[in-house]
Amino acid sequence: MNQPYLKFEQVGMSFRRGQMATEVLRDVNLRIDQGEFVSMIGHSGCGKSTLLNILGGLLQSTVGEVFLEGKVVDEPGPDRAIVFQNHSLLPWLTVYGNIAIAVDKVFGSRKTKAERHDWVMQNLELVQMAQAKDKRPHEVSGGMKQRVGIARALAMQPKVLLMDEPFGALDALTRAHLQDSVMEIHARLGNTVLMITHDVDEAVLLSDRVVMMTNGPAATIGEILAIELPRPRRRLELATDPEYARCRAAVLEFLYSRHRIPARAAA
Amino acid sequence: MLAAKAATSVAADMPVPGSTAEIVAFRPPLRPAAERIAAAARHAVSVVLPPLIVLSITLFVWQLLCSEPGARLPPPTKVVSDAWDFIVHPFYDNGGIDKGAFWQISKSLGRVGIGFSLAAVVGIALGVLVGQSTWAMRGLDPIFQVLRTVPPLAWLPLSLAGFRHSDPSALFVIFITSIWPIIINTSVGVRNIPQDYRNVAAVIRLSWWEVFWKITLPATVPYIFTGLRIGVGLSWLAIVAAEMLIGGVGIGFFIWDAWNSSRISDIIVALVYIGIVGFLLDKLIATVGHFVSHGVSAQ
């Protein structure tokens, strides 16, 4: 218990462009337990994607460290698989191939060819994309592409699943559908998830905790809200749930009353 | 018209006992097929007809202009009758350089095949290097930009001096002509690989070699084939000119030889052949590119 599963410790980040140095993040401290679903919400430009990329190893923090199971994170790896906002599927590979390229690399030495094939299919079935396995990304819809993106990340059996505004580019109905799928998968597999979002309802619906970021520059964690709604959660029932309404109001209050416009905070 | 005819004839062939209501019931599945054929026919006509009309008009005007006595160029009818032997016997071989059109063109195509293949391999390799390394780009790009403007034939004396033989010199001219667009397009393609793909490669920890084979090359394929298409066109332009100077068998020298013996009609037929072969080369590369890139690159 004293050793947290995932820990951000005094993480800070500044970008240097010529003479100008911009401090994006300062003093970010966060602990996440195994199996927890945490969302990070904030206005655009508050550095939440930067924070996710530091955890993903795609960026190096200027100060502070991120620890996963006690080990310092300093490079990208499949134990922190990322679901990218724009799905990032490779257009020359089929749906199957896009997952197989990750599975073959990550499990190439540990699983036989047949096992790897089964594992790819299992993950495709998990996101209900098995029937489209031979299609290429440009032949399937945006929502389906993102399903494949999620399957690719899950197939790596990550210790933490990172999702960078995974549903941002989708229409509202498709988004709701995918949110339900993610909740189902999380309930079944019990992954640890860190999700970036700018959608208040999405954050409250999916998360165990919502991390609210202050505005940049030098953004940090402003407040953390625990969502104590029982699972499984159903969006229809929650619409009239007083606890849901309270959580939603708390996040809205933080975003639109206390940390209104990024420009004002900078001035 | 066509659609109606097809539909009625098929309907008439059907063993329909009696009433007309049966025919109405059969029609829906039949009509789309007939309409599809009619639509395909209309499409074919609309594609084939305009060039045919323009070609006929051109030939007609040419015939009119060159039919007067004392005309310097032969009219189409005379071209065909003069060059008839050359047209109908593409496979004759009287030894030396006296060979039919097929052998002349094959020889030129063989040179293009070798020179262009070398250019493709070296060009793609250099393009990837220039695209991936900022230092290689800074060092090499200015040199490429200057050298690529040198006309193909300007390289010929230099390569003759270097190789001392005409055949490798011709290959070198093709190589040096077609390599620039391949290098430049490949490097642009490598530089334009989306960061997303690199992130994916980083997350699954592909090695440098795997990134090259599984990400860089496939992501660059459409660009590479654009370069190859331009390159093959240029090398076909260059070989005809180079062969005029180096002599021997080849469609280029054939034209020069025909000029020296005043066989103007043979020259005209050879020009048509060169044009058609060049067109086919371009289509060939485009088709290969279409398949290799799984339809991502436009045809």
Side-chain angles (χ1 to χ4, degrees):
Chain A
M1 256 347 258
N2 45 9
Q3 172 83 292
Y5 189 64
L6 174 65
K7 181 167 73 169
F8 290 81
E9 199 171 85
Q10 290 297 113
V11 171
M13 183 79 188
S14 18
F15 287 107
R16 197 167 266 290
R17 200 164 278 143
Q19 297 289 335
M20 294 270 287
T22 329
E23 193 177 14
V24 180
L25 292 169
R26 182 192 288 172
D27 298 340
V28 175
N29 290 293
L30 180 66
R31 286 152 173 257
I32 295 176
D33 289 327
Q34 189 161 12
E36 216 180 350
F37 196 123
V38 175
S39 311
M40 207 165 257
I41 196 163
H43 291 289
S44 37
C46 75
K48 51 194 195 298
S49 280
T50 308
L51 197 58
L52 184 118
N53 283 337
I54 291 172
L55 172 55
L58 297 172
L59 289 174
Q60 299 289 319
S61 62
T62 350
V63 291
E65 298 283 6
V66 180
F67 298 91
L68 178 60
E69 286 192 319
K71 269 179 257 154
V72 175
V73 164
D74 55 2
E75 57 171 354
D79 57 341
R80 283 154 285 123
I82 305 175
V83 177
F84 297 94
Q85 177 174 11
N86 48 0
H87 62 77
S88 296
L89 299 181
L90 304 175
W92 56 87
L93 295 178
T94 59
V95 162
Y96 180 91
N98 266 288
I99 297 177
I101 190 178
V103 170
D104 288 349
K105 182 62 190 169
V106 177
F107 300 109
S109 54
R110 276 177 281 162
K111 290 184 192 231
T112 66
K113 211 175 163 199
E115 282 172 338
R116 277 179 272 148
H117 169 79
D118 288 346
W119 180 238
V120 172
M121 291 312 295
Q122 210 174 310
N123 280 283
L124 278 173
E125 272 152 27
L126 195 65
V127 295
Q128 294 145 35
M129 284 296 292
Q131 77 289 351
K133 72 182 175 74
D134 295 322
K135 292 222 160 77
R136 288 186 199 282
H138 63 90
E139 295 170 318
V140 302
S141 70
M144 289 163 109
K145 281 185 203 134
Q146 197 53 285
R147 282 175 185 279
V148 180
I150 293 170
R152 178 174 62 187
L154 287 173
M156 301 179 210
Q157 284 193 316
K159 291 175 179 160
V160 197
L161 179 65
L162 310 184
M163 300 209 278
D164 188 0
E165 296 187 25
F167 315 123
L170 305 175
D171 65 272
L173 288 176
T174 314
R175 194 186 304 172
H177 207 64
L178 251 73
Q179 287 164 352
D180 291 344
S181 295
V182 165
M183 272 197 287
E184 228 170 82
I185 291 168
H186 179 242
R188 188 152 13 138
L189 305 180
N191 316 76
T192 311
V193 184
L194 181 65
M195 180 180 76
I196 303 280
T197 182
H198 48 217
D199 181 333
V200 177
D201 288 295
E202 180 173 286
V204 175
L205 178 67
L206 296 180
S207 322
D208 297 313
R209 282 191 294 157
V210 178
V211 173
M212 291 171 262
M213 303 282 292
T214 63
N215 291 320
T220 190
I221 293 174
E223 201 172 298
I224 299 178
L225 178 72
I227 313 283
E228 276 151 10
L229 290 165
R231 292 177 186 271
R233 298 171 182 168
R234 274 181 256 282
R235 66 179 67 240
L236 269 180
E237 293 164 16
L238 288 178
T240 51
D241 188 296
E243 174 65 8
Y244 180 83
R246 189 190 67 78
C247 294
R248 201 173 168 278
V251 178
L252 285 173
E253 211 264 332
F254 178 92
L255 288 177
Y256 297 103
S257 167
R258 274 182 284 158
H259 296 273
R260 246 167 86 89
I261 313 164
R264 192 161 299 172
Chain B
M1 264 298 284
L2 244 170
K5 210 191 253 173
T8 47
S9 71
V10 177
D13 289 342
M14 284 285 172
V16 180
S19 75
T20 46
E22 293 274 345
I23 295 171
V24 176
F26 272 108
R27 258 187 189 157
L30 290 175
R31 203 181 251 159
E35 270 170 13
R36 262 207 310 279
I37 294 167
R42 266 198 304 276
H43 178 72
V45 165
S46 69
V47 168
V48 172
L49 212 53
L52 271 185
I53 293 171
V54 172
L55 191 65
S56 322
I57 294 174
T58 312
L59 288 175
F60 180 70
V61 172
W62 176 9
Q63 183 78 31
L64 277 188
L65 289 178
C66 296
S67 288
E68 294 161 35
R72 292 189 189 152
L73 295 175
T77 47
K78 192 162 183 304
V79 168
V80 173
S81 61
D82 282 359
W84 188 248
D85 278 345
F86 182 63
I87 296 170
V88 295
H89 298 299
F91 297 107
Y92 79 86
D93 186 351
N94 296 339
I97 62 163
D98 190 9
K99 294 178 198 287
F102 176 80
W103 302 114
Q104 306 279 5
I105 290 174
S106 306
K107 183 75 184 173
S108 303
L109 270 179
R111 287 180 176 132
V112 166
I114 297 171
F116 176 70
S117 304
L118 285 174
V121 172
V122 178
I124 292 171
L126 277 176
V128 169
L129 177 72
V130 170
Q132 275 190 332
S133 151
T134 314
W135 280 102
M137 188 188 81
R138 286 185 192 151
L140 291 170
D141 196 56
I143 300 174
F144 292 164
Q145 296 299 343
V146 170
L147 288 185
R148 77 187 174 92
T149 64
V150 174
L153 280 193
W155 292 100
L156 190 60
L158 193 66
S159 53
L160 280 170
F163 291 110
R164 303 269 160 193
H165 290 286
S166 58
D167 245 348
S169 304
L171 295 184
F172 177 76
V173 168
I174 295 184
F175 172 84
I176 205 75
T177 308
S178 55
I179 197 170
W180 309 116
I182 301 174
I183 293 178
I184 291 167
N185 279 282
T186 305
S187 67
V188 168
V190 171
R191 246 172 283 153
N192 282 351
I193 294 176
Q195 184 60 38
D196 296 339
Y197 299 172
R198 299 184 194 280
N199 286 345
V200 170
V203 168
I204 61 178
R205 288 206 182 126
L206 293 180
S207 64
W208 184 91
W209 186 240
E210 286 167 326
V211 171
F212 179 76
W213 271 114
K214 295 182 173 173
I215 309 284
T216 309
L217 267 194
T220 317
V221 157
Y223 291 88
I224 291 178
F225 272 89
T226 305
L228 290 178
R229 266 180 92 170
I230 302 173
V232 84
L234 287 180
S235 57
W236 190 238
L237 293 182
I239 188 59
V240 173
E243 280 176 348
M244 286 188 175
L245 294 180
I246 62 169
V249 179
I251 195 72
F253 188 68
F254 173 85
I255 291 178
W256 195 245
D257 193 42
W259 159 243
N260 283 330
S261 38
S262 303
R263 288 180 280 125
I264 306 297
S265 297
D266 283 3
I267 295 180
I268 292 172
V269 173
L271 288 188
V272 172
Y273 285 171
I274 290 173
I276 291 172
V277 171
F279 174 79
L280 291 178
L281 279 178
D282 182 67
K283 281 290 161 225
L284 174 74
I285 300 287
T287 308
V288 173
H290 184 75
F291 281 106
V292 172
S293 67
H294 303 296
V296 177
S297 98
Q299 201 161 354

